[in-house]
Amino acid sequence: MIQWDESLATGVKEIDKEHKEIIARINKLINMTDKEKELEIDKTLRFLGGYVIDHFAHEEEYMIKYQYPEYDEHKGEHIRFLKSYSSLKKLFDSEGSSALIINATEKQAVEWLVKHIQQIDKKMAFFLQTKMKKA
């Protein structure tokens, strides 16, 4: 499970709000029983796929608007995640919701999200906050 705390806050309200929603959905999935997960994982994966794409688009809009110098690297992180997500979704669609797939999904999502927020997004947010104050 991911616990929201200040170490994950970027200080950009819209981005933090979206991160909290992604975390809530992942935590909901983690807290389900295996039987519940089988019924909900497809729905959750579809939601996360669309929501994450929208979230990444919001971050990228900010980066473009404020001319973030590390835009290409940050966008590359988003692309890598979406490729990984796509592979996982294809695996789920072809293999079903075995416990192995569910556990791999949870672990991968949690690890990537925490690392991305704490290292990549916070760096971007610091830059954005500096620019937003001047605007």
Side-chain angles (χ1 to χ4, degrees):
M1 249 182 86
I2 305 173
Q3 195 67 29
W4 178 266
D5 61 32
E6 287 305 305
S7 74
L8 297 173
T10 66
V12 179
K13 286 183 183 183
E14 183 178 3
I15 291 172
D16 286 342
K17 179 182 173 192
E18 291 172 353
H19 285 165
K20 287 177 184 178
E21 181 62 26
I22 293 166
I23 289 169
R25 294 294 179 127
I26 291 171
N27 284 342
K28 179 181 176 188
L29 186 61
I30 290 170
N31 287 324
M32 290 179 182
T33 65
D34 286 343
K35 184 171 178 81
E36 290 172 324
K37 286 179 186 179
E38 286 198 29
L39 300 172
E40 290 291 321
I41 195 166
D42 183 54
K43 185 169 108 175
T44 302
L45 283 174
R46 281 186 279 121
F47 165 81
L48 286 173
Y51 197 84
V52 165
I53 288 169
D54 291 343
H55 171 66
F56 288 167
H58 292 149
E59 285 188 358
E60 290 165 15
E61 286 171 18
Y62 276 118
M63 289 187 279
I64 290 168
K65 179 178 179 178
Y66 294 102
Q67 301 175 342
Y68 184 52
E70 296 182 36
Y71 171 81
D72 290 336
E73 293 85 358
H74 197 123
K75 184 172 176 72
E77 285 286 317
H78 291 170
I79 291 168
R80 281 187 286 286
F81 176 82
L82 291 172
K83 284 180 181 178
S84 178
Y85 169 83
S86 179
S87 296
L88 186 62
K89 180 75 169 97
K90 285 178 187 173
L91 180 63
F92 172 78
D93 290 342
S94 67
E95 306 272 331
S97 60
S98 74
L100 179 63
I101 293 171
I102 291 171
N103 291 336
T105 302
E106 291 170 357
K107 185 174 188 245
Q108 179 182 10
V110 168
E111 287 175 359
W112 185 89
L113 186 59
V114 169
K115 180 181 175 190
H116 183 79
I117 292 172
Q118 289 180 332
Q119 295 176 6
I120 308 296
D121 283 349
K122 287 188 91 156
K123 185 176 182 181
M124 172 204 60
F126 179 78
F127 174 86
L128 292 177
Q129 288 173 346
T130 303
K131 292 290 188 171
M132 290 172 162
K133 288 178 184 175
K134 292 179 182 178

